[in-house]
Amino acid sequence: MKYNGFYFALFRSTMKKVLSEQYGKEFARDTMKSAHSLYRKLVTEAEDIGDGNPMAYNELFALAFVAPYIASGKKIAPEVVQEMMRRSLYHVKFYFSMMDLNTPKGKLANQKSILKYVKWYTPERERQYPSSFKVDFEGKPYEGACYYRITRCPICAYCERLGVGELMPLLCELDGVMIGLQHGVLHRQQTIASGGEYCDYFITGDRE
């Protein structure tokens, strides 16, 4: 996968602060120093899901939190990794809060983001990048609903290959936090990480 260090750099100070609070400054310093170079390795060794992939940011984002966990030799509790991610999301909450999922404009923006990927992931690209995200809309509760499913997740597959599958259910739980920052509510039945066949995203506004 093509390297991009943006997310690690963006969240590095927040992750280090959480680690300092939980394990002390020396542990945090050493862990984040090792995680920096490890992040590059994790990204470049991940399966290629295609240049310009609109959903690549999801994997780059997740690996920013996987890197310190592996760099520490799994001395960081998975729940602390989850807290690192939660605090990082709140660090950039201004960005998410610009979308209001209670409004037609916000709902349309949400739908457009996933439709952009569906349009990009043509049958030809699926043959080129067979491990990339697979998305469909089966089970949509009503016309116009903000709804989609992910039936193949390269992040989950890669974490299992790295031996850190225990992180994925905790990371998936934070989808609700991110959507909450967009003034929405995630109604979810299952995730791939927790043994389900898919990750479903049925999103409504928090004032609906």
Side-chain angles (χ1 to χ4, degrees):
M1 186 176 179
K2 187 176 180 180
Y3 178 71
N4 183 329
F6 173 76
Y7 292 102
F8 188 87
L10 180 63
F11 301 130
R12 184 173 185 170
S13 62
T14 302
M15 292 191 287
K16 187 176 180 180
K17 184 175 182 180
V18 174
L19 291 179
S20 294
E21 293 170 359
Q22 295 290 330
Y23 303 105
K25 291 183 178 180
E26 184 178 352
F27 178 90
R29 183 193 65 235
D30 293 345
T31 297
M32 293 309 298
K33 183 178 180 180
S34 298
H36 190 198
S37 57
L38 179 59
Y39 178 70
R40 178 183 288 273
K41 183 175 185 291
L42 291 176
V43 172
T44 56
E45 292 183 357
E47 288 198 49
D48 186 9
I49 58 174
D51 287 343
N53 187 320
M55 291 185 69
Y57 74 92
N58 288 286
E59 189 161 0
L60 293 167
F61 182 90
L63 290 176
F65 303 94
V66 171
Y69 182 63
I70 295 177
S72 74
K74 294 190 176 185
K75 292 177 183 176
I76 305 171
E79 293 76 14
V80 174
V81 178
Q82 186 184 47
E83 176 63 9
M84 289 160 61
M85 189 173 179
R86 188 191 71 81
R87 295 261 289 270
S88 294
L89 287 173
Y90 274 91
H91 178 66
V92 292
K93 66 179 180 179
F94 67 91
Y95 171 77
F96 292 108
S97 63
M98 289 190 294
M99 181 184 293
D100 187 345
L101 290 165
N102 293 288
T103 67
K105 183 179 179 180
K107 292 179 187 295
L108 183 61
N110 178 272
Q111 291 168 332
K112 279 184 175 179
S113 66
I114 198 64
L115 287 172
K116 182 180 180 181
Y117 176 73
V118 171
K119 184 178 180 180
W120 180 87
Y121 199 48
T122 61
E124 181 181 353
R125 285 201 173 102
E126 185 168 9
R127 287 191 293 271
Q128 286 181 285
Y129 314 111
S131 63
S132 188
F133 297 91
K134 185 75 172 176
V135 177
D136 68 35
F137 304 95
E138 291 185 22
K140 182 180 286 191
Y142 57 85
E143 187 65 30
C146 292
Y147 177 88
Y148 62 93
R149 304 191 313 172
I150 293 177
T151 58
R152 183 173 63 225
C153 176
I155 306 171
C156 193
Y158 192 29
C159 283
E160 289 291 341
R161 182 153 62 91
L162 291 170
V164 295
E166 64 272 18
L167 290 182
M168 278 306 303
L170 298 175
L171 298 180
C172 290
E173 286 178 11
L174 290 163
D175 286 338
V177 174
M178 181 182 67
I179 290 167
L181 293 173
Q182 297 172 324
H183 314 286
V185 179
L186 174 62
H187 308 274
R188 170 172 278 170
Q189 295 180 338
Q190 59 183 287
T191 64
I192 296 170
S194 296
E197 296 180 1
Y198 53 81
C199 303
D200 54 330
Y201 292 78
F202 172 35
I203 303 164
T204 60
D206 59 11
R207 296 195 301 271
E208 291 186 68

